PDB file of all heavy atoms in Angstrom:
ATOM      1  N   VAL A 852      -5.258   9.173   1.059  1.00 69.00           N
ATOM      2  CA  VAL A 852      -5.321   8.740  -0.305  1.00 69.00           C
ATOM      3  C   VAL A 852      -3.971   8.296  -0.693  1.00 69.00           C
ATOM      4  O   VAL A 852      -3.014   9.141  -0.600  1.00 69.00           O
ATOM      5  CB  VAL A 852      -5.857   9.838  -1.213  1.00 69.00           C
ATOM      6  CG1 VAL A 852      -5.836   9.366  -2.620  1.00 69.00           C
ATOM      7  CG2 VAL A 852      -7.239  10.271  -0.773  1.00 69.00           C
ATOM      8  N   LYS A 853      -3.791   7.110  -1.218  1.00 71.00           N
ATOM      9  CA  LYS A 853      -2.454   6.738  -1.661  1.00 71.00           C
ATOM     10  C   LYS A 853      -2.370   7.205  -3.203  1.00 71.00           C
ATOM     11  O   LYS A 853      -3.241   6.995  -3.925  1.00 71.00           O
ATOM     12  CB  LYS A 853      -2.409   5.186  -1.737  1.00 71.00           C
ATOM     13  CG  LYS A 853      -2.435   4.577  -0.281  1.00 71.00           C
ATOM     14  CD  LYS A 853      -2.099   3.109  -0.351  1.00 71.00           C
ATOM     15  CE  LYS A 853      -2.156   2.627   1.044  1.00 71.00           C
ATOM     16  NZ  LYS A 853      -1.961   1.213   1.106  1.00 71.00           N
ATOM     17  N   THR A 854      -1.174   7.837  -3.405  1.00 70.00           N
ATOM     18  CA  THR A 854      -1.009   8.481  -4.766  1.00 70.00           C
ATOM     19  C   THR A 854       0.420   8.190  -5.224  1.00 70.00           C
ATOM     20  O   THR A 854       1.280   7.905  -4.445  1.00 70.00           O
ATOM     21  CB  THR A 854      -1.218   9.971  -4.682  1.00 70.00           C
ATOM     22  OG1 THR A 854      -1.027  10.469  -5.891  1.00 70.00           O
ATOM     23  CG2 THR A 854      -0.386  10.659  -3.630  1.00 70.00           C
ATOM     24  N   LYS A 855       0.563   8.154  -6.456  1.00 66.00           N
ATOM     25  CA  LYS A 855       1.842   8.007  -7.090  1.00 66.00           C
ATOM     26  C   LYS A 855       2.594   9.269  -7.189  1.00 66.00           C
ATOM     27  O   LYS A 855       3.808   9.362  -7.580  1.00 66.00           O
ATOM     28  CB  LYS A 855       1.696   7.389  -8.498  1.00 66.00           C
ATOM     29  CG  LYS A 855       1.154   6.013  -8.520  1.00 66.00           C
ATOM     30  CD  LYS A 855       0.985   5.571  -9.947  1.00 66.00           C
ATOM     31  CE  LYS A 855       0.352   4.190 -10.083  1.00 66.00           C
ATOM     32  NZ  LYS A 855       0.255   3.789 -11.402  1.00 66.00           N
ATOM     33  N   ALA A 856       1.937  10.423  -6.900  1.00 64.00           N
ATOM     34  CA  ALA A 856       2.516  11.759  -7.216  1.00 64.00           C
ATOM     35  C   ALA A 856       3.779  11.994  -6.435  1.00 64.00           C
ATOM     36  O   ALA A 856       4.609  12.862  -6.902  1.00 64.00           O
ATOM     37  CB  ALA A 856       1.567  12.850  -6.930  1.00 64.00           C
ATOM     38  N   LYS A 857       4.019  11.387  -5.298  1.00 66.00           N
ATOM     39  CA  LYS A 857       5.222  11.699  -4.465  1.00 66.00           C
ATOM     40  C   LYS A 857       6.272  10.619  -4.686  1.00 66.00           C
ATOM     41  O   LYS A 857       7.410  10.733  -4.076  1.00 66.00           O
ATOM     42  CB  LYS A 857       4.794  11.750  -3.068  1.00 66.00           C
ATOM     43  CG  LYS A 857       3.943  12.882  -2.726  1.00 66.00           C
ATOM     44  CD  LYS A 857       3.675  12.999  -1.232  1.00 66.00           C
ATOM     45  CE  LYS A 857       2.828  14.169  -0.970  1.00 66.00           C
ATOM     46  NZ  LYS A 857       2.393  14.326   0.446  1.00 66.00           N
ATOM     47  N   LYS A 858       6.039   9.648  -5.585  1.00 71.00           N
ATOM     48  CA  LYS A 858       7.079   8.676  -5.798  1.00 71.00           C
ATOM     49  C   LYS A 858       8.220   9.213  -6.656  1.00 71.00           C
ATOM     50  O   LYS A 858       8.002  10.085  -7.461  1.00 71.00           O
ATOM     51  CB  LYS A 858       6.435   7.446  -6.489  1.00 71.00           C
ATOM     52  CG  LYS A 858       5.516   6.686  -5.503  1.00 71.00           C
ATOM     53  CD  LYS A 858       5.139   5.405  -5.950  1.00 71.00           C
ATOM     54  CE  LYS A 858       4.229   4.694  -4.861  1.00 71.00           C
ATOM     55  NZ  LYS A 858       3.841   3.364  -5.274  1.00 71.00           N
ATOM     56  N   LYS A 859       9.416   8.671  -6.507  1.00 70.00           N
ATOM     57  CA  LYS A 859      10.606   9.239  -7.147  1.00 70.00           C
ATOM     58  C   LYS A 859      10.504   9.313  -8.664  1.00 70.00           C
ATOM     59  O   LYS A 859      10.840  10.335  -9.210  1.00 70.00           O
ATOM     60  CB  LYS A 859      11.837   8.388  -6.738  1.00 70.00           C
ATOM     61  CG  LYS A 859      13.067   8.779  -7.446  1.00 70.00           C
ATOM     62  CD  LYS A 859      14.155   9.103  -6.494  1.00 70.00           C
ATOM     63  CE  LYS A 859      15.438   9.359  -7.222  1.00 70.00           C
ATOM     64  NZ  LYS A 859      15.672  10.773  -7.397  1.00 70.00           N
ATOM     65  N   LYS A 860      10.038   8.324  -9.287  1.00 70.00           N
ATOM     66  CA  LYS A 860       9.949   8.344 -10.709  1.00 70.00           C
ATOM     67  C   LYS A 860       8.930   9.406 -11.254  1.00 70.00           C
ATOM     68  O   LYS A 860       9.285  10.075 -12.265  1.00 70.00           O
ATOM     69  CB  LYS A 860       9.441   6.943 -11.310  1.00 70.00           C
ATOM     70  CG  LYS A 860      10.519   5.957 -11.327  1.00 70.00           C
ATOM     71  CD  LYS A 860      10.093   4.680 -12.053  1.00 70.00           C
ATOM     72  CE  LYS A 860      11.253   3.756 -12.114  1.00 70.00           C
ATOM     73  NZ  LYS A 860      10.947   2.641 -12.938  1.00 70.00           N
ATOM     74  N   TYR A 861       7.949   9.718 -10.502  1.00 68.00           N
ATOM     75  CA  TYR A 861       7.026  10.764 -10.910  1.00 68.00           C
ATOM     76  C   TYR A 861       7.611  12.157 -10.626  1.00 68.00           C
ATOM     77  O   TYR A 861       7.430  13.077 -11.451  1.00 68.00           O
ATOM     78  CB  TYR A 861       5.703  10.629 -10.217  1.00 68.00           C
ATOM     79  CG  TYR A 861       4.838   9.583 -10.931  1.00 68.00           C
ATOM     80  CD1 TYR A 861       5.044   8.285 -10.794  1.00 68.00           C
ATOM     81  CD2 TYR A 861       3.816   9.936 -11.855  1.00 68.00           C
ATOM     82  CE1 TYR A 861       4.332   7.274 -11.433  1.00 68.00           C
ATOM     83  CE2 TYR A 861       3.080   9.043 -12.477  1.00 68.00           C
ATOM     84  CZ  TYR A 861       3.317   7.653 -12.281  1.00 68.00           C
ATOM     85  OH  TYR A 861       2.558   6.730 -12.918  1.00 68.00           O
ATOM     86  N   ILE A 862       8.330  12.294  -9.553  1.00 67.00           N
ATOM     87  CA  ILE A 862       8.947  13.522  -9.207  1.00 67.00           C
ATOM     88  C   ILE A 862      10.001  13.976 -10.203  1.00 67.00           C
ATOM     89  O   ILE A 862      10.131  15.111 -10.651  1.00 67.00           O
ATOM     90  CB  ILE A 862       9.489  13.500  -7.794  1.00 67.00           C
ATOM     91  CG1 ILE A 862       8.308  13.538  -6.876  1.00 67.00           C
ATOM     92  CG2 ILE A 862      10.364  14.729  -7.525  1.00 67.00           C
ATOM     93  CD1 ILE A 862       8.744  13.352  -5.368  1.00 67.00           C
ATOM     94  N   THR A 863      10.785  12.943 -10.643  1.00 69.00           N
ATOM     95  CA  THR A 863      11.897  13.234 -11.555  1.00 69.00           C
ATOM     96  C   THR A 863      11.515  13.136 -13.008  1.00 69.00           C
ATOM     97  O   THR A 863      12.208  13.553 -13.918  1.00 69.00           O
ATOM     98  CB  THR A 863      13.036  12.180 -11.394  1.00 69.00           C
ATOM     99  OG1 THR A 863      12.486  10.893 -11.583  1.00 69.00           O
ATOM    100  CG2 THR A 863      13.666  12.219 -10.045  1.00 69.00           C
ATOM    101  N   GLY A 864      10.192  12.774 -13.323  1.00 70.00           N
ATOM    102  CA  GLY A 864       9.695  12.683 -14.660  1.00 70.00           C
ATOM    103  C   GLY A 864      10.220  11.473 -15.423  1.00 70.00           C
ATOM    104  O   GLY A 864      10.171  11.586 -16.644  1.00 70.00           O
ATOM    105  N   HIS A 866       9.025   8.542 -15.731  1.00 68.00           N
ATOM    106  CA  HIS A 866       8.055   7.443 -16.133  1.00 68.00           C
ATOM    107  C   HIS A 866       7.533   7.736 -17.555  1.00 68.00           C
ATOM    108  O   HIS A 866       6.664   6.986 -18.051  1.00 68.00           O
ATOM    109  CB  HIS A 866       6.862   7.345 -15.192  1.00 68.00           C
ATOM    110  CG  HIS A 866       6.065   8.578 -15.207  1.00 68.00           C
ATOM    111  ND1 HIS A 866       6.429   9.771 -14.518  1.00 68.00           N
ATOM    112  CD2 HIS A 866       4.879   8.914 -15.660  1.00 68.00           C
ATOM    113  CE1 HIS A 866       5.408  10.596 -14.612  1.00 68.00           C
ATOM    114  NE2 HIS A 866       4.507  10.109 -15.356  1.00 68.00           N
ATOM    115  N   ALA A 871       4.985  15.283 -16.671  1.00 78.00           N
ATOM    116  CA  ALA A 871       5.834  15.049 -15.529  1.00 78.00           C
ATOM    117  C   ALA A 871       7.279  15.525 -15.730  1.00 78.00           C
ATOM    118  O   ALA A 871       7.813  16.046 -14.734  1.00 78.00           O
ATOM    119  CB  ALA A 871       5.743  13.537 -15.220  1.00 78.00           C
ATOM    120  N   LYS A 874       7.122  19.285 -15.176  1.00 84.00           N
ATOM    121  CA  LYS A 874       6.968  19.564 -13.704  1.00 84.00           C
ATOM    122  C   LYS A 874       8.315  19.318 -12.978  1.00 84.00           C
ATOM    123  O   LYS A 874       8.678  20.112 -12.139  1.00 84.00           O
ATOM    124  CB  LYS A 874       5.850  18.749 -13.185  1.00 84.00           C
ATOM    125  CG  LYS A 874       4.528  19.221 -13.468  1.00 84.00           C
ATOM    126  CD  LYS A 874       3.506  18.297 -12.818  1.00 84.00           C
ATOM    127  CE  LYS A 874       2.029  18.667 -13.131  1.00 84.00           C
ATOM    128  NZ  LYS A 874       1.081  17.838 -12.504  1.00 84.00           N
ATOM    129  N   ALA A 875       9.006  18.233 -13.356  1.00 83.00           N
ATOM    130  CA  ALA A 875      10.338  17.898 -12.752  1.00 83.00           C
ATOM    131  C   ALA A 875      11.297  19.002 -13.036  1.00 83.00           C
ATOM    132  O   ALA A 875      12.032  19.445 -12.202  1.00 83.00           O
ATOM    133  CB  ALA A 875      10.735  16.528 -13.284  1.00 83.00           C
ATOM    134  N   ARG A 878      10.432  21.874 -10.733  1.00 85.00           N
ATOM    135  CA  ARG A 878      10.883  21.547  -9.404  1.00 85.00           C
ATOM    136  C   ARG A 878      12.356  21.694  -9.240  1.00 85.00           C
ATOM    137  O   ARG A 878      12.845  22.321  -8.254  1.00 85.00           O
ATOM    138  CB  ARG A 878      10.471  20.134  -9.054  1.00 85.00           C
ATOM    139  CG  ARG A 878       9.088  19.932  -8.794  1.00 85.00           C
ATOM    140  CD  ARG A 878       8.798  18.617  -8.225  1.00 85.00           C
ATOM    141  NE  ARG A 878       7.387  18.294  -8.197  1.00 85.00           N
ATOM    142  CZ  ARG A 878       6.794  17.432  -9.037  1.00 85.00           C
ATOM    143  NH1 ARG A 878       7.436  16.807  -9.930  1.00 85.00           N
ATOM    144  NH2 ARG A 878       5.525  17.237  -8.925  1.00 85.00           N
TER     145      ARG A 878
END
Side-chain angles (χ1 to χ4, degrees):
V852 177
K853 292 185 179 181
T854 179
K855 293 179 182 178
K857 292 184 179 177
K858 292 191 177 180
K859 175 127 176 91
K860 283 190 176 188
Y861 279 79
I862 289 173
T863 58
H866 67 284
K874 285 181 182 180
R878 282 189 193 105

